Amino acid sequence: MTEKKKRIVIALGGNALGNTLHEQMLAVKTTAKAIVDLIQEGCEVIVAHGNGPQVGMINHAMAALSREDPNQPNTPLSVCVAMSQAYIGYDLQNALREELYNRNIYDIPVATMITQVRVDAEDPAFDAPSKPIGHFMTEEQAKIASEKYGYIMKEDAGRGYRRVVASPKPAEIVEIGAIRSLVDSGQLVIACGGGGIPVLEQGEELHGASAVIEKDLISGKLAEMLDADELLILTSVEKVSINYKSDTEQYLDHITTAQARQYMSEDQFEPSTMLPKIEASVNFVEKKKGRRAVITSIDKAKSAYLGKTGTIIE
């Protein structure tokens, strides 16, 4: 009897994708090697990813088009997220296919699923937009964007003004049935790109929401809904630390969800970077016995999976 493969959801951070067209083309080749390493270790892999630089670039380009052509309406943020899913998926699935073929693996098709994620219209995040996206603007440019498009603009650490949008919690992955069918049939699936396209349910219709969903939280939910064994979050650091950038900074090798919750209550993790990774890990691990989450850098993915490095949460 063939041993059941370990099912892993990998959440790719921005450093796995680069910031420009050229950087992305190069970055996905390295990323593909790390992912196929895990497939060769006997894992069944599902990939989720961020889209920060990419969706900002698309949003900026579409806004520039609407300024140049009065007949071109502004493109909703939800559509920009959809564009980023296809653009990133295109490069990533080709890099994965090439890497699989380089290792004489020809029986694992790679597919990108354009994924919608339902959010709750009553989510308090809609009343307090806080997630910055897109390029920096002068105060005058910010005023025009606010008046013309209804954007909420905020000054960002003395660097200029940026648009801020809501970041609601994910409630449901709309295409989860299709994703599950592809995974169960042996395909390598890329899904929930950029946190998923945020949508609101109105009767039988789904309408795009002007929001972005935290990539780590949706990766954890994807892992939960696919009944994965492990959530592997790949970021820019090899291990999570507490007392970050202080004389008493301490790297975490292996912690329980209870310890993670204690550190969260002590505000040990930066809200916009590490906190969502810890929160997603804890939520996933606590839902079912035997699961684990690992946070590490992309170049240490295989070593972390084998328990040799990274921060393991069980």
Side-chain angles (χ1 to χ4, degrees), residues 60-70 72 135 137 144 148-149:
H60 181 44
M62 300 310 289
L65 175 62
S66 69
R67 289 193 296 271
E68 291 174 11
D69 182 356
Q72 178 67 42
H135 64 294
M137 302 183 194
I144 293 170
K148 187 171 183 180
Y149 304 124

Side-chain angles (χ1 to χ4, degrees), residues 97-126:
R97 177 180 180 275
E98 180 183 351
E99 187 61 30
L100 287 164
Y101 282 14
N102 285 343
R103 304 192 198 189
N104 297 316
I105 301 171
Y106 300 102
D107 60 346
I108 301 179
V110 187
T112 299
M113 173 62 69
I114 302 301
T115 315
Q116 301 174 97
V117 174
R118 183 177 64 79
V119 296
D120 186 349
E122 303 302 317
D123 192 305
F126 284 109

Side-chain angles (χ1 to χ4, degrees), residues 54-294:
Q54 293 84 0
V55 77
M57 176 184 71
I58 292 166
N59 185 248
H60 181 44
M62 300 310 289
L65 175 62
S66 69
R67 289 193 296 271
E68 291 174 11
D69 182 356
N71 296 316
Q72 178 67 42
N74 197 37
T75 306
L77 182 58
S78 56
V79 176
C80 294
V81 174
M83 290 178 176
S84 76
Q85 285 190 0
Y87 155 51
I88 294 167
Y90 164 57
D91 276 349
L92 189 53
Q93 72 183 28
N94 280 345
L96 285 165
R97 177 180 180 275
E98 180 183 351
E99 187 61 30
L100 287 164
Y101 282 14
N102 285 343
R103 304 192 198 189
N104 297 316
I105 301 171
Y106 300 102
D107 60 346
I108 301 179
V110 187
T112 299
M113 173 62 69
I114 302 301
T115 315
Q116 301 174 97
V117 174
R118 183 177 64 79
V119 296
D120 186 349
E122 303 302 317
D123 192 305
F126 284 109
D127 295 324
S130 60
K131 189 84 168 177
I133 65 162
H135 64 294
F136 289 97
M137 302 183 194
T138 64
E139 187 173 0
E140 184 179 351
Q141 289 171 328
K143 185 179 179 183
I144 293 170
S146 178
E147 291 173 352
K148 187 171 183 180
Y149 304 124
Y151 289 175
I152 297 171
M153 308 298 298
K154 286 189 179 178
E155 202 278 328
D156 190 341
R159 296 178 294 176
Y161 288 78
R162 292 180 81 188
R163 180 186 179 188
V164 291
V165 297
S167 186
K169 296 280 194 269
E172 175 193 3
I173 299 171
V174 177
E175 287 77 19
I176 191 62
I179 295 168
R180 188 180 291 114
S181 294
L182 289 171
V183 172
D184 288 346
S185 71
Q187 300 204 40
L188 170 48
V189 182
I190 302 160
C192 296
I197 304 162
V199 293
L200 297 167
E201 195 170 47
Q202 296 178 11
E204 297 299 319
E205 296 181 0
L206 295 173
H207 295 270
S210 186
V212 291
I213 299 166
E214 174 55 55
K215 170 263 304 176
D216 296 307
L217 296 183
I218 195 60
S219 298
K221 191 165 192 67
L222 178 64
E224 176 195 332
M225 296 186 77
L226 292 175
D227 195 22
D229 301 292
E230 184 169 312
L231 173 64
L232 178 58
I233 298 177
L234 301 180
T235 185
S236 58
V237 295
E238 185 174 343
K239 295 181 182 181
V240 180
S241 66
I242 54 174
N243 306 319
Y244 184 56
K245 287 188 176 178
S246 74
D247 294 338
T248 57
E249 183 172 8
Q250 176 188 342
Y251 291 101
L252 303 174
D253 297 315
H254 200 141
I255 59 173
T256 64
T257 55
Q259 288 172 312
R261 287 192 178 279
Q262 177 63 35
Y263 293 138
M264 284 194 285
S265 72
E266 296 170 0
D267 296 327
Q268 286 283 359
F269 307 118
E270 211 285 320
S272 63
T273 54
M274 191 54 70
L275 181 60
K277 294 170 176 54
I278 299 294
E279 187 180 346
S281 298
V282 169
N283 290 342
F284 168 69
V285 170
E286 287 185 338
K287 287 286 197 309
K288 186 177 179 180
K289 190 175 181 181
R291 290 176 173 173
R292 76 170 189 171
V294 183

Side-chain angles (χ1 to χ4, degrees), residues 33-48:
K33 287 180 170 62
I35 292 170
V36 178
D37 279 347
L38 296 175
I39 291 172
Q40 287 197 311
E41 287 294 323
C43 298
E44 182 182 69
V45 172
I46 303 96
V47 180

